[in-house]
Amino acid sequence: MILCDDLLLRERYDVIVVGAGLGGLVAASLLAKRGLSVLLIDQQHKPGGSCTSFKRDGVVYDVGTAMIYGFGERGFHPFRFLMNELDEPIDIVAHRTLARMTFEGHEIIFWPDVERFLQELERLFPGEHDALRAFYRDLGKMYEHIVIKNELVVPPTELSARQGLRQLLASPLQVLRMQKLLSISVQDLLDRYFAGGPIIHFFDKLCSAYCYCTAAEAPAVLAATMFLDNHIGGVYYPAGGAQMLPNKLEKAFERYGGQTLYRHLVDQVLIRDGRACGVRLSGGVEIAADRVIANATVWNIYGGLVRPEHIAPERLAWARQLVPTFPSMTLYMLVDRAAFPETVMPWEIMIENRAVIDNTDLTLYINALVDQTLCPPGKLVVMAIAPQLDSWPAPNDPMYHSEAYAAHKQAAADAMLAQIERHYPGFGQHIETLIVGTPTTLERYLLKNGGAVGGPKNMLGQQMLKRLHAVSEWPGLYFCGDSTVMATGAPATAVSGVGAAN
């Protein structure tokens, strides 16, 4: 046995999972249920990664994940599957509306009912009635073929050869359609229905909100899930805060005999004779395992967890040239209820410039409107998040603690607050608590390189088959997380964990 900070560990495990984000948690809990000895290691003191919460003075602030899909009865619902599979109940709250977007001063409410949503769009784009109807009709058919008829909770890249052959024989036209949608962009798809102008810019902003790409970058296969899945499956919030979801997964993991080691950073995946055989912690302790699953970014794996001497030069070059999603700036606030009108919604998206993705594409999450237990009565807890397309220092850069960094941080926060103030006059005077998280903060606490919120961009050239797969080039080493799946957010990373476990 190994004694590590008063915790007694085995000298060898069936599986070690590096990283307790949703992907790692899902893989670990499913494997523990199968009776394997599993050790889950994370540098933080709790599970969840980006899907966590922190508490200050009795107020619950969500770190990153604030709206969760995948609990619905229809559509893409991996969390419903997982909680049933792990026999772990969870209390969730459904949103009455999906979101509201203020699009250059015009309000669009994203109603769950598609017909009602289309009426919203037709009000803003009156000349696009027929095109919108045709587009959403065909999206519905695409969604039926891609999601409903293939109710998978495994990434398509991890289907077995037999499964892939069975799918090809059962529906060869569907497979060809999928391949075509992987090779063209959402923009190419939109151009078939719309002549251009504001309606194209609207869908471009939706792409940015859902997958951090422009319509010209995003593969067309994502269109059905981005534009339709939320209406079919709904939007949910774990009662008590985002932290409740990873807490439930951790509870199931430990109930099935899994062991967690928090506050420890894995420095290296041990590769001997070409095979993964365990990990080395930053303090030098080595723990052996028959298999290792790395829930980490591609950049933290190639040249980091796996040392360069074990990597083919062309493979290392491939990893380093992958384009990341943009970094994000986050404001965590407690405000008086009077900061917002009674009509404010839990998810408010502000678009000031339809033509480009920039720092003014700001989103507010006000989940206290859904779950009033997050903060005291008469108050609201608010998370504001926006892209940061300028440069920020790494946590180990001396600039991180410089006056220039502090000024940069203050200026970025002030710009976001000024934008909110324009939409909600007097907002600033109602702020009682303000905590600022920069891209550097995100990298420091979540190991997200450069503060990139979603791993490599889900763009053409980096789609599905050109990302990390669950099975690595090293026997015994497997991957999960947002570098492996072609989508962003909690459901996609959860599904990556299923792929790694399988």
Side-chain angles (χ1 to χ4, degrees):
M1 305 295 282
I2 300 173
L3 186 63
C4 189
D5 289 353
D6 298 326
L7 186 65
L8 203 58
L9 304 177
R10 300 171 184 236
E11 291 187 0
R12 187 175 198 89
Y13 289 84
D14 292 324
V15 184
I16 291 176
V17 179
V18 180
L22 289 181
L25 278 167
V26 167
S29 57
L30 291 174
L31 293 172
K33 184 184 178 184
R34 290 297 182 99
L36 299 178
S37 61
V38 184
L39 176 65
L40 178 63
I41 307 174
D42 197 277
Q43 66 155 354
Q44 291 297 332
H45 65 283
K46 59 187 176 182
S50 297
C51 187
T52 52
S53 308
F54 63 92
K55 185 175 283 191
R56 296 275 179 90
D57 300 322
V59 177
V60 176
Y61 300 90
D62 294 324
V63 169
T65 301
M67 302 289 178
I68 297 180
Y69 319 115
F71 278 105
E73 295 182 4
R74 297 186 66 241
F76 183 50
H77 47 220
F79 286 119
R80 176 175 286 270
F81 159 81
L82 282 166
M83 294 309 176
N84 289 336
E85 180 73 13
L86 297 171
D87 195 23
E88 188 63 47
I90 183 171
D91 186 13
I92 57 171
V93 184
H95 281 244
R96 184 176 65 87
T97 57
L98 303 182
R100 173 166 49 197
M101 177 184 286
T102 303
F103 184 72
E104 292 187 336
H106 300 281
E107 292 186 356
I108 304 168
I109 297 177
F110 289 63
W111 299 104
D113 179 66
V114 175
E115 173 59 32
R116 193 173 181 184
F117 174 59
L118 284 175
Q119 291 173 11
E120 285 278 319
L121 294 184
E122 289 163 358
R123 175 180 55 80
L124 185 58
F125 308 111
E128 303 288 357
H129 176 279
D130 293 343
L132 278 166
R133 297 282 165 168
F135 180 54
Y136 271 84
R137 182 184 63 244
D138 291 348
L139 275 184
K141 294 176 183 177
M142 188 190 306
Y143 188 86
E144 180 78 17
H145 287 294
I146 294 173
V147 179
I148 302 297
K149 289 186 177 179
N150 297 282
E151 197 168 352
L152 300 172
V153 286
V154 178
T157 53
E158 309 315 323
L159 291 175
S160 68
R162 180 177 297 179
Q163 288 172 307
L165 180 61
R166 185 165 61 242
Q167 185 177 4
L168 177 61
L169 293 175
S171 184
L173 291 178
Q174 179 181 323
V175 173
L176 291 173
R177 185 184 298 115
M178 173 76 81
Q179 289 178 335
K180 185 174 182 180
L181 292 172
L182 278 168
S183 63
I184 65 172
S185 70
V186 171
Q187 181 71 58
D188 294 329
L189 194 63
L190 292 170
D191 288 342
R192 298 177 183 178
Y193 298 88
F194 306 104
I199 188 73
I200 296 292
H201 293 141
F202 168 75
F203 283 109
D204 195 39
K205 290 299 184 180
L206 278 195
C207 284
S208 171
Y210 286 130
C211 78
Y212 308 121
C213 287
T214 66
E217 293 172 326
V221 73
L222 292 179
T225 50
M226 286 193 300
F227 302 151
L228 201 56
D229 182 68
N230 298 344
H231 297 276
I232 293 172
V235 176
Y236 301 87
Y237 186 73
Q243 186 69 54
M244 296 301 105
L245 177 55
N247 284 359
K248 286 289 187 177
L249 291 170
E250 179 193 51
K251 181 180 177 182
F253 172 62
E254 293 181 342
R255 176 161 45 85
Y256 289 121
Q259 192 172 9
T260 55
L261 179 62
Y262 291 124
R263 296 187 175 91
H264 283 80
L265 180 67
V266 173
D267 176 64
Q268 182 179 352
V269 173
L270 299 174
I271 307 285
R272 291 179 182 140
D273 298 325
R275 180 182 181 87
C277 58
V279 301
R280 178 182 293 127
L281 304 181
S282 57
V285 174
E286 293 189 2
I287 310 170
D290 295 333
R291 304 285 190 278
V292 176
I293 297 176
N295 178 26
T297 71
V298 61
W299 305 288
N300 287 336
I301 293 170
Y302 284 77
L305 289 174
V306 178
R307 296 296 195 255
E309 60 265 28
H310 300 296
I311 308 172
E314 64 274 12
R315 187 69 170 165
L316 187 59
W318 163 80
R320 289 174 174 171
Q321 59 82 38
L322 288 171
V323 179
T325 55
F326 49 72
S328 288
M329 180 90 167
T330 310
L331 307 182
Y332 306 99
M333 295 173 281
L334 179 69
V335 303
D336 189 87
R337 180 62 183 83
F340 294 105
E342 289 298 320
T343 54
V344 72
M345 293 186 178
W347 188 1
E348 297 278 359
I349 304 169
M350 303 173 186
I351 303 299
E352 316 297 353
N353 185 350
R354 73 176 72 170
V356 296
I357 295 176
D358 62 18
N359 295 6
T360 65
D361 288 356
L362 188 146
T363 300
L364 296 180
Y365 297 103
I366 317 171
N367 281 319
L369 293 170
V370 178
D371 183 354
Q372 297 179 357
T373 69
L374 301 179
C375 56
K379 311 294 180 184
L380 290 175
V381 60
V382 181
M383 179 171 69
I385 186 168
Q388 289 295 300
L389 304 184
D390 44 1
S391 178
W392 291 82
N396 59 358
D397 189 325
M399 283 293 293
Y400 180 28
H401 299 289
S402 68
E403 291 183 5
Y405 169 80
H408 190 185
K409 176 179 177 178
Q410 186 66 54
D414 287 346
M416 291 176 66
L417 291 171
Q419 183 179 353
I420 299 171
E421 184 84 19
R422 289 194 294 273
H423 288 263
Y424 302 102
F427 176 84
Q429 68 188 33
H430 295 289
I431 299 174
E432 298 184 9
T433 301
L434 173 62
I435 303 166
V436 181
T438 69
T440 310
T441 312
L442 193 66
E443 181 172 3
R444 177 184 172 190
Y445 286 100
L446 301 179
L447 303 182
K448 296 285 192 179
N449 312 79
V453 295
K457 264 191 176 185
N458 292 285
M459 57 189 279
L460 291 169
Q462 295 186 173
Q463 73 270 32
M464 199 175 291
L465 299 177
K466 299 183 180 182
R467 303 173 79 81
L468 282 186
H469 290 193
V471 179
S472 80
E473 56 260 50
W474 301 275
L477 178 57
Y478 303 82
F479 300 138
C480 63
D482 54 18
S483 289
T484 66
V485 285
M486 193 183 66
T488 56
T493 51
V495 165
S496 78
V498 181
N502 280 358

